[in-house]
Amino acid sequence: MNAKPADRRYAVWLSDPGFAAAEIARGIGYGAVVLDIEHGAFDLADLERFIPFARALGLEVLAKVLGPERGPIQQALDFGADAVVVPHVENAAHAEEVTAFAKFPPLGDRSFAGGRTTGYGGFTDAWVSEQDSRTRCLPMIEDAGAVEEIDAILALDTVDGVFVGPSDLSLRRERGAYSRTDGDFADLRRVAEAAAAAGKPWVLPAWSEAEKEFAARHGADQLALIMQHGALAAGFAAPFEQMTAIDARYR
């Protein structure tokens, strides 16, 4: 398969270090991957190998880290992730605390580690500045307090944009299971408008056509278009259903 130009606006959501999945996605034209470290099957050894592999393919790597803590955030960045997606940010005060781990002093509180990102050598003030500007910190908007304080979160210097978690947000806003209700889209609109006002990007997992259209209309910076497991299920189901229909004609 001849690879098409990579479009960074479109990502696939991976739940494990699927090397073939990354290569297939890049060949199709996807330009980014979301690594679901929080809920997926990634360990540190996987990340140490898979992040540089994905970047070498020409894919931006958005690492949804294990939790809103120093260790997972710093490890993903030290392995070379382009962005850290920080889950379960409760409000603006919590965002200020945890997003600081993604930026070096004096901007934030990230700890320096000589390794891949420094070419296994020392570092300079210019390197610190380049890291802080190049790598992105995207707190997730998936708690009620986060969406209510979205303007204050986006105003933080350690925040480069936001990543919406619609399923958890629906549960925490007491709407039950996420089903793309008017309330769900009202929250998405609130995030999109706040991001536009702040001049910062927002990112959405957009599995349905309605979500994709909403994101296109409201200027989402990046979209996760499909989940790895969903793609597998759809791929396995199509030939099975096709053969079942054929078989039924001969019984």
Side-chain angles (χ1 to χ4, degrees):
M1 180 172 60
N2 293 323
K4 297 179 181 178
D7 192 332
R8 66 166 297 278
R9 296 174 298 169
Y10 306 134
V12 293
W13 184 289
L14 299 182
S15 296
D16 61 50
F19 290 87
E23 290 175 317
I24 291 167
R26 175 61 191 86
I28 290 169
Y30 285 90
V33 287
V34 177
L35 309 185
D36 190 359
I37 303 164
E38 181 191 5
H39 295 297
F42 291 93
D43 60 25
L44 292 181
D46 291 327
L47 295 173
E48 197 274 337
R49 292 188 294 265
F50 192 75
I51 289 174
F53 172 80
R55 290 191 61 193
L57 289 177
L59 295 165
E60 284 192 10
V61 175
L62 287 71
K64 184 163 82 75
V65 300
L66 191 61
E69 300 167 359
R70 177 189 293 276
I73 292 169
Q74 292 182 168
Q75 286 165 338
L77 292 173
D78 290 342
F79 288 144
D82 296 286
V84 283
V85 178
V86 185
H88 306 299
V89 171
E90 298 171 0
N91 50 42
H94 191 212
E96 184 174 18
E97 174 190 355
V98 301
T99 60
F101 301 141
K103 304 293 180 181
F104 289 107
L107 178 59
D109 193 32
R110 178 181 172 187
S111 177
F112 170 75
R116 173 173 293 131
T117 57
T118 63
Y120 303 96
F123 73 115
T124 64
D125 290 340
W127 178 88
V128 169
S129 178
E130 187 273 337
Q131 277 284 297
D132 281 346
S133 62
R134 188 190 71 77
T135 60
R136 290 168 286 150
C137 182
L138 308 173
M140 289 195 75
I141 306 301
E142 58 181 354
D143 281 43
V147 76
E148 290 165 1
E149 299 185 15
I150 182 67
D151 297 298
I153 290 172
L154 281 162
L156 295 170
D157 290 337
T158 50
V159 169
D160 299 295
V162 292
F163 190 113
V164 186
S167 295
D168 277 350
L169 186 57
S170 181
L171 290 170
R172 287 172 170 79
R173 297 279 272 180
E174 300 184 357
R175 290 191 294 266
Y178 177 59
S179 55
R180 303 172 188 86
T181 65
D182 290 343
D184 294 322
F185 280 105
D187 279 348
L188 295 181
R189 189 173 298 107
R190 173 79 179 89
V191 171
E193 291 174 352
K200 294 182 178 181
W202 68 286
V203 183
L204 178 69
W207 316 136
S208 71
E209 185 174 356
E211 291 160 319
K212 291 175 175 67
E213 289 185 353
F214 179 93
R217 289 198 310 272
H218 291 84
D221 180 60
Q222 288 180 304
L223 303 177
L225 300 184
I226 192 164
M227 297 182 74
Q228 179 182 10
H229 294 161
L232 282 170
F236 289 164
F240 185 88
E241 292 168 358
Q242 182 184 58
M243 192 62 226
T244 300
I246 292 170
D247 191 46
R249 295 200 292 268
Y250 293 94
R251 287 180 180 241

